[in-house]
Amino acid sequence: PKVTRVSRKQAKEELEVYKQEYLVPANIAKRHTVVIEDATWKDLEFIVRRIGDMDANTTGYINAILSHYLEEIKPKVEVWRKL
């Protein structure tokens, strides 16, 4: 596979889009506990601390990732349910 170079400007734009999508402060009214492996938590926390703003947090990041993923697979779930 050919590796494509990304300009610094394009990388910054992609980062801003990513941050707006996933690294916004979460105001979660009704919370639930979820257990994940320590290594996974550390990876998530590393990303948030590395590229997130001061008000970003790991819980908000996880919530955003899962919400996005669930919206993506929702149509497939209906198809799979009927199999």
Side-chain angles (χ1 to χ4, degrees):
K2 185 178 177 182
V3 178
T4 57
R5 283 187 57 139
V6 177
S7 71
R8 186 168 177 83
K9 181 181 176 184
Q10 185 179 1
K12 280 186 174 184
E13 289 171 357
E14 288 175 357
L15 174 59
E16 284 308 310
V17 169
Y18 189 83
K19 286 168 74 172
Q20 289 174 8
E21 181 80 27
Y22 296 106
L23 291 168
V24 293
N27 198 2
I28 303 170
K30 247 184 149 177
R31 298 171 177 245
H32 297 278
T33 303
V34 176
V35 179
I36 60 173
E37 292 187 22
D38 188 57
T40 304
W41 177 266
K42 287 179 180 177
D43 289 343
L44 292 164
E45 192 171 42
F46 176 80
I47 292 168
V48 172
R49 299 290 167 245
R50 204 60 149 168
I51 64 173
D53 295 328
M54 292 298 291
D55 52 356
N57 60 53
T58 308
T59 301
Y61 184 50
I62 293 168
N63 194 63
I65 289 171
L66 289 174
S67 294
H68 181 80
Y69 175 75
L70 293 171
E71 279 302 311
E72 256 184 32
I73 69 159
K74 200 177 281 186
K76 292 178 184 177
V77 170
E78 281 305 309
V79 171
W80 295 335
R81 185 181 65 85
K82 295 174 184 174
L83 293 178

